PDB file of all heavy atoms in Angstrom:
ATOM      1  N   LYS S 276      -3.248  20.346 -26.250  1.00  0.00           N
ATOM      2  CA  LYS S 276      -4.195  21.260 -25.616  1.00  0.00           C
ATOM      3  C   LYS S 276      -4.469  20.858 -24.164  1.00  0.00           C
ATOM      4  O   LYS S 276      -4.452  21.694 -23.251  1.00  0.00           O
ATOM      5  CB  LYS S 276      -5.497  21.275 -26.415  1.00  0.00           C
ATOM      6  CG  LYS S 276      -6.632  22.073 -25.792  1.00  0.00           C
ATOM      7  CD  LYS S 276      -6.361  23.566 -25.808  1.00  0.00           C
ATOM      8  CE  LYS S 276      -7.533  24.359 -25.213  1.00  0.00           C
ATOM      9  NZ  LYS S 276      -8.790  24.134 -25.954  1.00  0.00           N
ATOM     10  N   VAL S 277      -4.699  19.567 -23.948  1.00  0.00           N
ATOM     11  CA  VAL S 277      -5.006  19.083 -22.601  1.00  0.00           C
ATOM     12  C   VAL S 277      -3.891  19.428 -21.622  1.00  0.00           C
ATOM     13  O   VAL S 277      -4.142  19.833 -20.479  1.00  0.00           O
ATOM     14  CB  VAL S 277      -5.257  17.558 -22.617  1.00  0.00           C
ATOM     15  CG1 VAL S 277      -5.182  16.970 -21.214  1.00  0.00           C
ATOM     16  CG2 VAL S 277      -6.613  17.255 -23.246  1.00  0.00           C
ATOM     17  N   LEU S 278      -2.646  19.290 -22.068  1.00  0.00           N
ATOM     18  CA  LEU S 278      -1.517  19.509 -21.164  1.00  0.00           C
ATOM     19  C   LEU S 278      -1.402  20.960 -20.706  1.00  0.00           C
ATOM     20  O   LEU S 278      -0.684  21.247 -19.747  1.00  0.00           O
ATOM     21  CB  LEU S 278      -0.209  19.056 -21.825  1.00  0.00           C
ATOM     22  CG  LEU S 278      -0.129  17.567 -22.198  1.00  0.00           C
ATOM     23  CD1 LEU S 278       1.263  17.210 -22.668  1.00  0.00           C
ATOM     24  CD2 LEU S 278      -0.541  16.673 -21.034  1.00  0.00           C
ATOM     25  N   THR S 279      -2.113  21.881 -21.370  1.00  0.00           N
ATOM     26  CA  THR S 279      -2.100  23.294 -20.966  1.00  0.00           C
ATOM     27  C   THR S 279      -3.280  23.654 -20.077  1.00  0.00           C
ATOM     28  O   THR S 279      -3.317  24.760 -19.540  1.00  0.00           O
ATOM     29  CB  THR S 279      -2.127  24.218 -22.201  1.00  0.00           C
ATOM     30  OG1 THR S 279      -3.403  24.104 -22.861  1.00  0.00           O
ATOM     31  CG2 THR S 279      -1.013  23.871 -23.177  1.00  0.00           C
ATOM     32  N   LEU S 280      -4.238  22.750 -19.930  1.00  0.00           N
ATOM     33  CA  LEU S 280      -5.454  23.068 -19.182  1.00  0.00           C
ATOM     34  C   LEU S 280      -5.194  23.094 -17.674  1.00  0.00           C
ATOM     35  O   LEU S 280      -4.551  22.177 -17.140  1.00  0.00           O
ATOM     36  CB  LEU S 280      -6.541  22.038 -19.484  1.00  0.00           C
ATOM     37  CG  LEU S 280      -7.026  21.957 -20.933  1.00  0.00           C
ATOM     38  CD1 LEU S 280      -8.029  20.814 -21.084  1.00  0.00           C
ATOM     39  CD2 LEU S 280      -7.635  23.271 -21.377  1.00  0.00           C
ATOM     40  N   PRO S 281      -5.693  24.099 -16.971  1.00  0.00           N
ATOM     41  CA  PRO S 281      -5.496  24.157 -15.511  1.00  0.00           C
ATOM     42  C   PRO S 281      -5.981  22.894 -14.804  1.00  0.00           C
ATOM     43  O   PRO S 281      -5.346  22.422 -13.859  1.00  0.00           O
ATOM     44  CB  PRO S 281      -6.315  25.385 -15.099  1.00  0.00           C
ATOM     45  CG  PRO S 281      -6.338  26.255 -16.316  1.00  0.00           C
ATOM     46  CD  PRO S 281      -6.391  25.301 -17.483  1.00  0.00           C
ATOM     47  N   GLY S 282      -7.116  22.337 -15.256  1.00  0.00           N
ATOM     48  CA  GLY S 282      -7.632  21.127 -14.618  1.00  0.00           C
ATOM     49  C   GLY S 282      -6.676  19.959 -14.736  1.00  0.00           C
ATOM     50  O   GLY S 282      -6.453  19.226 -13.769  1.00  0.00           O
ATOM     51  N   TRP S 283      -6.093  19.802 -15.931  1.00  0.00           N
ATOM     52  CA  TRP S 283      -5.120  18.718 -16.097  1.00  0.00           C
ATOM     53  C   TRP S 283      -3.841  19.012 -15.336  1.00  0.00           C
ATOM     54  O   TRP S 283      -3.256  18.114 -14.717  1.00  0.00           O
ATOM     55  CB  TRP S 283      -4.795  18.474 -17.565  1.00  0.00           C
ATOM     56  CG  TRP S 283      -3.590  17.573 -17.698  1.00  0.00           C
ATOM     57  CD1 TRP S 283      -2.325  17.927 -18.066  1.00  0.00           C
ATOM     58  CD2 TRP S 283      -3.531  16.190 -17.361  1.00  0.00           C
ATOM     59  NE1 TRP S 283      -1.493  16.842 -18.003  1.00  0.00           N
ATOM     60  CE2 TRP S 283      -2.200  15.756 -17.568  1.00  0.00           C
ATOM     61  CE3 TRP S 283      -4.476  15.268 -16.916  1.00  0.00           C
ATOM     62  CZ2 TRP S 283      -1.793  14.446 -17.346  1.00  0.00           C
ATOM     63  CZ3 TRP S 283      -4.065  13.949 -16.688  1.00  0.00           C
ATOM     64  CH2 TRP S 283      -2.742  13.555 -16.907  1.00  0.00           C
ATOM     65  N   GLN S 284      -3.388  20.241 -15.346  1.00  0.00           N
ATOM     66  CA  GLN S 284      -2.155  20.576 -14.638  1.00  0.00           C
ATOM     67  C   GLN S 284      -2.290  20.317 -13.146  1.00  0.00           C
ATOM     68  O   GLN S 284      -1.347  19.858 -12.496  1.00  0.00           O
ATOM     69  CB  GLN S 284      -1.775  22.024 -14.926  1.00  0.00           C
ATOM     70  CG  GLN S 284      -1.328  22.245 -16.367  1.00  0.00           C
ATOM     71  CD  GLN S 284      -0.995  23.682 -16.679  1.00  0.00           C
ATOM     72  OE1 GLN S 284      -1.232  24.584 -15.878  1.00  0.00           O
ATOM     73  NE2 GLN S 284      -0.449  23.919 -17.867  1.00  0.00           N
TER      74      GLN S 284
END
Side-chain angles (χ1 to χ4, degrees):
K276 174 69 178 300
V277 164
L278 299 187
T279 68
L280 297 176
W283 168 254
Q284 291 178 352

